[in-house]
Amino acid sequence: MRGWRTTLIIILWLVWCTAAYAQEGPAATTGESGGDQEKAVAAKEDDRLPIYKKGWQFFVAPYLWIPGAHLSISHQGKFSGTSVANIPWYELVPLLFSQAMGGMGRVEIWNGRWGVFSDTTFLYIGESISAGGARELKLNPKRLPVTIPVRLQLSGDMKIWTRLLWQDVGVRYLLGTVSLQTDKALPVATFEVLGGLRYTYYNQDTSLNLDATLTGPFDRLEISRGGSFFSSLELSIFEPFLGLRVGLWFTPKVNLLLRADCGGFGFVAYNNVDSVLEALLGYQVHKNIRIYGGYRGRYFSISDSTKDIAAHGWYHGPVLGAVFNF
């Protein structure tokens, strides 16, 4: 719990400091002397940056996130204990588009300082395991002087389906920009506040089938039995979140985006707390297209006192995508 509180305090502190700086920035700029020619040069240099464009802007950003998992699940009571799962992201790469699939994308609409956004991440992972074997046994009923040879055949299969959905819908507000070099328009840093609602959905279905066949001497007697088991786990959470996005625009073509947010705050269902940390490096390949790559981590912590279950951990891995600006 200490980690998410520290993250929230840092986000709020950065928002407050940036807002104060942004309010002072325009006044200082108004008082500076400069000719129309210098302003024209700066405007021309920044003409391709979305942060300086006025009017409506639309951004569509499909992306691919390959999240590994490091999870810890603990259970108290009669069967108390802790289970740890560690799955590196690179082990999921061979499963892409066969056992692991998903749909991911972000849409943003800006008008001046204000904007709205929607970010969707859906993951599906399916796995099937089959096993079987046979063994020769000798039965000696009631300790008779003879034994009866029999053959026991066991087979089974297990299927696991996992579905994950994260949906963010919110508002974006540009606090201000800070020039990183006084005599040039670039590089420049931008500070945006992000806030809204987040929906988390988790579903895991497990199916287990077992079959046993007992065959008597000379294959004249055969007894077969079978059984099946099905289990379904579902989790659904609505929560508010608040975050900060920092943009570093080094040139009209190269930029770096840093994002951090915190949601749930421990006040929603299952005492949920989560946080997203992301760093993306972008490069403009066309006037209206940027490609980017980076790394994203998503932390979560949930607990259910009625069932004495608690879980926390990280989903993290590389991100690749593109942004189309209209």
Side-chain angles (χ1 to χ4, degrees):
M1 298 295 286
R2 184 182 302 173
W4 74 263
R5 289 181 179 177
T6 303
T7 302
L8 178 60
I9 292 173
I10 293 174
I11 291 174
L12 293 177
W13 181 79
L14 289 173
V15 169
W16 180 81
C17 293
T18 307
Y21 190 93
Q23 290 176 358
E24 296 177 358
T29 304
T30 304
E32 294 178 356
S33 61
D36 295 337
Q37 183 177 1
E38 182 179 353
K39 294 180 180 180
V41 172
K44 183 177 180 181
E45 185 175 357
D46 300 334
D47 184 54
R48 302 175 72 182
L49 297 182
I51 57 174
Y52 289 110
K53 293 180 181 180
K54 296 182 179 181
W56 292 98
Q57 295 186 76
F58 300 86
F59 303 87
V60 178
Y63 63 86
L64 174 64
W65 179 38
I66 309 175
H70 182 78
L71 313 176
S72 177
I73 304 173
S74 60
H75 187 278
Q76 303 297 325
K78 185 177 180 180
F79 302 100
S80 61
T82 300
S83 301
V84 177
N86 188 17
I87 306 173
W89 64 266
Y90 48 81
E91 291 187 1
L92 296 178
V93 174
L95 306 179
L96 291 178
F97 310 111
S98 57
Q99 294 176 287
M101 294 177 288
M104 308 164 191
R106 186 178 182 92
V107 176
E108 297 199 23
I109 302 175
W110 294 2
N111 189 355
R113 289 180 175 268
W114 291 94
V116 295
F117 64 88
S118 174
D119 195 322
T120 304
T121 301
F122 174 75
L123 298 171
Y124 169 84
I125 301 175
E127 187 173 1
S128 179
I129 303 173
S130 298
R135 185 174 181 180
E136 301 293 337
L137 302 176
K138 293 183 178 181
L139 302 182
N140 186 6
K142 298 182 180 181
R143 298 183 179 180
L144 294 176
V146 296
T147 59
I148 303 174
V150 296
R151 185 171 183 268
L152 179 62
Q153 176 78 32
L154 295 175
S155 63
D157 63 86
M158 183 175 64
K159 296 180 180 180
I160 301 176
W161 304 272
T162 302
R163 303 170 185 86
L164 269 171
L165 171 66
W166 290 292
Q167 177 66 60
D168 291 357
V169 178
V171 177
R172 160 262 188 194
Y173 179 74
L174 177 63
L175 291 174
T177 62
V178 177
S179 178
L180 302 181
Q181 201 166 352
T182 56
D183 58 339
K184 293 184 179 180
L186 294 176
V188 64
T190 62
F191 298 87
E192 301 167 276
V193 174
L194 307 175
L197 292 176
R198 173 173 295 157
Y199 175 64
T200 300
Y201 175 78
Y202 175 84
N203 172 258
Q204 184 179 76
D205 294 332
T206 303
S207 174
L208 176 63
N209 296 313
L210 295 174
D211 294 299
T213 301
L214 186 65
T215 306
F218 309 108
D219 296 332
R220 292 186 177 182
L221 177 64
E222 184 175 288
I223 301 174
S224 298
R225 293 290 186 271
S228 61
F229 170 80
F230 180 81
S231 175
S232 181
L233 175 63
E234 187 172 284
L235 186 70
S236 182
I237 301 174
F238 282 96
E239 62 182 357
F241 73 92
L242 178 66
L244 179 69
R245 182 168 61 186
V246 178
L248 300 176
W249 302 81
F250 303 107
T251 70
K253 288 185 174 293
V254 180
N255 72 303
L256 176 66
L257 293 178
L258 305 174
R259 177 167 66 102
D261 66 44
C262 184
F265 313 109
F267 303 128
V268 296
Y270 305 101
N271 301 310
N272 181 66
V273 177
D274 58 36
S275 177
V276 177
L277 304 175
E278 184 178 61
L280 300 174
L281 181 64
Y283 182 79
Q284 187 181 52
V285 296
H286 185 269
K287 182 179 180 181
N288 297 322
I289 303 175
R290 286 180 182 268
I291 59 174
Y292 62 87
Y295 207 85
R296 174 189 292 183
R298 180 183 287 269
Y299 172 81
F300 79 96
S301 175
I302 60 174
S303 61
D304 189 344
S305 58
T306 61
K307 299 181 180 179
D308 294 325
I309 296 177
H312 68 275
W314 284 89
Y315 295 98
H316 58 90
V319 182
L320 296 172
V323 180
F324 301 88
N325 182 12
F326 305 97

